[in-house]
């Protein structure tokens, strides 16, 4: 953003917008520039005269330093908040108590067991399995995102086909939805009804509702489901919910084939109807990929081994913590320091373990790094609504417009009721294009 000019007329940027020019064509674009202006410079930017260039260059540099320092402080604070989110667990407190107890026990009854141990066992027994599990968890998350993206794109194209596709009709023009090419008695009865697109839209919204309901079911495949009565009962209910929710989506996708058959009855050519059926088949395949990623996990034995090893680590490495407390010659008594180191190690291991378990379910709504189900389903709903609103619009005069600021945009998910209307309408209208 220009804040002044030099003596030879060259523009000077204050740096508050990271060198982005005020006009959009030469920068990143209208949306990016608006974000940078609002978050970096705000509305306090005022252009200056040429004679004040030196002073404003200094003020611009100071402004940039201020924003960089602010971002640094906020990032460091947020990083500590994320760490605390994964450490502040009851299981971490248990591991820390075991660490302190182990140090005190070895100090009281095993004073002669002081040994300077290496950490090779920890590397192979904890760090390597955890890092591999976290990497696999992110791969599963990314695969789930790809499957959802394919599914959403397919459903949107299905909506476009039912709302906008036309074909050659009786008038030898693209008016088949109104004038079917087949001459039949009562030809008007074979026109595509105006409410056909709305019915398909309602079906697709129900598909999105059912998908969200299924994806937010808690995860199963826990160790307690195999060896405890409560866990088995919990797993039974989870499997029931997954079966019911998954079957609901599959049946709704199957019903969409009937809508395609209806268009064939109204005169849709075989090539178009075949492509539409292929899209629905692809949607079903993408959905099955999502179900597999939802219902199956990484190896249970690896997770169980890591959890047990982390809890047993303070006991196994008690002689090392005793060595830290007594020193190499055994003349010191720094039990408090050794207990702190043991607690830090246990908390670090437990936080990595919680990161790994939070990625087990790629659709967990409580995790920071999993698929944002409500956001993705809400986005799909708004895109379906936009396609329905855009039907019948002359593509040669299509001009999309958008809300002016984030306050007029809602990212909330609005489930559908049985009559096709949102159960909880959002406080702001969803994003859609307005045509002129």
């Amino acid at each position: 953003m220009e804040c002044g000019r030099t003596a030879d007329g060259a523009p000077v940027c204050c740096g508050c917008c990271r060198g982005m020019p005020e006009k959009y064509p030469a920068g990143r674009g209208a949306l990016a520039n608006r974000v940078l202006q609002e978050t970096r410079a705000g509305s306090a930017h005022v252009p200056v005269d040429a004679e004040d260039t030196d002073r404003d260059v200094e003020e611009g540099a100071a402004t940039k330093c201020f924003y960089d320092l602010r971002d640094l402080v906020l990032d460091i604070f947020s990083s500590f908040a994320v760490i605390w989110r994964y450490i502040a667990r009851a299981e971490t407190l248990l591991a820390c108590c075991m660490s302190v107890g182990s140090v005190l026990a070895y100090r009281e009854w095993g004073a002669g067991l002081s040994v300077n141990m290496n950490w090779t066992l920890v590397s192979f027994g904890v760090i390597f399995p955890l890092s591999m599990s976290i990497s696999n968890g992110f791969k599963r998350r990314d695969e789930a995102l790809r499957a959802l993206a394919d599914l959403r794109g397919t459903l949107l194209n299905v909506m476009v086909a039912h709302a906008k596709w036309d074909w050659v009709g009786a008038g030898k023009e693209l008016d088949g939805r109104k004038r079917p090419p087949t001459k039949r008695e009562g030809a008007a009865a074979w026109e595509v009804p105006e409410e056909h697109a709305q019915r398909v839209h309602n079906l697709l919204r129900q598909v999105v509702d059912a998908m969200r309901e299924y994806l937010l079911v808690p995860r199963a495949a826990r160790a307690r489901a195999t060896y405890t009565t409560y866990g088995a009962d919990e797993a039974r209910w989870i499997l029931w919910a997954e079966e019911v929710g998954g079957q609901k989506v599959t049946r709704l996708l199957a019903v969409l084939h009937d809508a395609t058959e209806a268009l064939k009855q109204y005169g849709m050519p075989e090539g178009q109807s075949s492509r539409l059926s292929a899209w629905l088949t692809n949607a079903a395949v993408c959905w099955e990929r999502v179900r597999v990623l939802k219902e199956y996990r990484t190896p249970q034995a690896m997770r169980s081994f890591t959890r047990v090893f982390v809890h047993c680590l303070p006991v196994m490495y008690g002689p090392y913590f005793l060595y830290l407390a007594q020193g190499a010659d055994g003349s010191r008594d720094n039990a408090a320091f050794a207990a702190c180191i043991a607690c830090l190690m246990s908390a670090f291991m437990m936080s990595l373990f919680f990161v790994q378990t939070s990625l087990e379910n790629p659709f967990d709504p409580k995790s920071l790094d999993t698929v944002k189900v409500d956001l993705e389903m809400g986005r799909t709903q708004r895109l379906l609504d936009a396609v329905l609103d855009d039907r019948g619009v002359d593509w040669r005069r299509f001009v999309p417009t958008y809300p002016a600021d984030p306050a007029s945009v809602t990212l909330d998910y609005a489930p559908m009721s049985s009559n096709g209307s949102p159960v909880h309408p959002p406080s702001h209208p969803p994003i859609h294009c307005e045509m002129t």
Side-chain angles (χ1 to χ4, degrees):
M1 183 179 294
E2 181 181 340
C3 64
R5 291 183 177 273
T6 61
D8 57 357
V12 176
C13 177
C14 65
C16 61
C17 58
R18 299 185 187 274
M20 296 302 301
E22 187 173 3
K23 298 301 182 181
Y24 299 139
R28 301 183 186 179
L31 295 178
N33 283 4
R34 179 65 185 276
V35 170
L36 290 172
Q37 290 174 14
E38 295 297 330
T39 57
R40 297 289 296 179
S43 58
H45 179 82
V46 179
V48 296
D49 297 331
E51 61 264 18
D52 296 331
T53 299
D54 294 337
R55 176 175 58 84
D56 291 311
V57 168
E58 294 177 359
E59 292 181 356
T63 302
K64 183 179 184 301
C65 290
F66 166 76
Y67 285 125
D68 290 342
L69 180 61
R70 179 199 63 182
D71 293 345
L72 175 63
V73 172
L74 293 178
D75 288 341
I76 293 176
F77 168 78
S78 301
S79 298
F80 276 102
V82 170
I83 294 174
W84 177 253
R85 176 175 182 152
Y86 285 101
I87 288 181
R89 309 285 181 93
E91 196 166 354
T92 304
L93 179 61
L94 175 62
C96 290
C97 291
M98 293 183 63
S99 299
V100 175
S102 174
V103 172
L104 296 179
Y106 274 95
R107 177 173 174 266
E108 184 69 22
W109 296 293
L113 299 177
S114 175
V115 177
N116 185 12
M117 303 173 63
N118 62 56
W119 292 87
T120 304
L121 181 61
V122 175
S123 300
F124 283 99
V126 178
I127 303 300
F128 179 73
L130 278 176
S131 61
M132 290 297 296
S133 297
I134 292 173
S135 176
N136 291 334
F138 270 109
K139 290 180 180 178
R140 286 163 46 82
R141 193 278 307 269
D142 291 343
E143 188 175 350
L145 284 172
R146 285 192 293 270
L148 281 178
D150 291 342
L151 180 56
R152 176 166 55 206
T154 303
L155 294 181
L156 288 176
N157 279 283
V158 170
M159 184 69 236
V160 170
H162 283 280
K164 294 187 174 186
W165 276 11
D166 210 338
W167 48 88
V168 177
K172 303 303 180 182
E173 298 179 357
L174 287 177
D175 57 355
R177 297 179 77 97
K178 296 295 184 182
R179 302 176 63 190
T182 304
K183 299 293 185 179
R184 295 176 180 169
E185 183 179 356
W190 294 96
E191 295 178 2
V192 179
E194 290 292 336
E195 61 271 15
H196 176 84
Q198 182 65 57
R199 291 170 180 168
V200 174
H201 174 266
N202 291 343
L203 271 176
L204 290 173
R205 287 290 299 265
Q206 292 181 50
V207 170
V208 175
D209 291 343
M211 287 170 52
R212 174 185 177 272
E213 188 175 3
Y214 167 83
L215 294 176
L216 293 181
V217 173
R219 73 181 182 95
R222 298 176 183 267
R224 62 173 179 258
T226 305
Y227 298 100
T228 65
T229 303
Y230 167 77
D233 187 62
E234 178 189 31
R236 191 179 304 111
W237 277 102
I238 292 175
L239 293 176
W240 168 82
E242 290 176 341
E243 181 65 24
V244 171
Q247 188 178 119
K248 182 178 180 181
V249 176
T250 302
R251 295 176 67 180
L252 286 169
L253 291 175
V255 170
L256 285 169
H257 282 282
D258 296 335
T260 304
E261 293 300 316
L263 285 183
K264 290 170 62 178
Q265 192 177 30
Y266 296 137
M268 174 179 274
E270 181 179 352
Q272 288 178 300
S273 60
S274 176
R275 176 166 295 185
L276 189 51
S277 297
W279 285 346
L280 290 174
T281 302
N282 182 66
V285 172
C286 291
W287 172 243
E288 290 304 317
R289 286 166 52 198
V290 172
R291 289 192 66 177
V292 169
L293 291 169
K294 164 70 177 174
E295 297 179 12
Y296 287 87
R297 306 286 181 239
T298 55
Q300 176 62 61
M302 181 179 293
R303 283 180 277 137
S304 298
F305 174 80
T306 304
R307 174 176 251 134
V308 171
F309 193 91
V310 169
H311 283 291
C312 294
L313 180 67
V315 178
M316 298 171 58
Y317 276 77
Y320 174 77
F321 297 124
L322 182 64
Y323 173 83
L324 292 181
Q326 295 180 349
D329 55 0
S331 60
R332 295 193 298 267
D333 188 10
N334 296 326
F337 172 75
C340 289
I341 296 298
C343 287
L344 286 176
M345 292 300 300
S346 296
F348 172 72
M349 299 293 182
M350 290 305 305
S351 64
L352 287 180
F353 177 75
F354 290 137
V355 170
Q356 186 261 330
T357 55
S358 68
L359 294 172
E360 278 298 308
N361 179 8
F363 306 100
D364 186 0
K366 296 181 294 183
S367 177
L368 293 175
D369 301 306
T370 51
V371 178
K372 309 303 180 186
V373 176
D374 279 343
L375 179 64
E376 295 299 327
M377 296 299 104
R379 181 176 297 163
T380 305
Q381 285 183 331
R382 290 187 295 275
L383 290 173
L384 291 173
D385 295 343
V387 171
L388 184 66
D389 293 341
D390 295 345
R391 58 176 173 164
V393 176
D394 187 354
W395 61 271
R396 292 164 292 189
R397 299 189 300 112
F398 180 78
V399 179
T401 59
Y402 302 95
D405 55 75
S408 58
V409 178
T410 177
L411 298 179
D412 297 334
Y413 173 84
M416 298 288 289
S417 63
S418 57
N419 60 2
S421 61
V423 176
H424 302 292
S427 56
H428 303 287
I431 301 177
H432 65 278
C433 297
E434 298 177 0
M435 283 64 65
T436 59

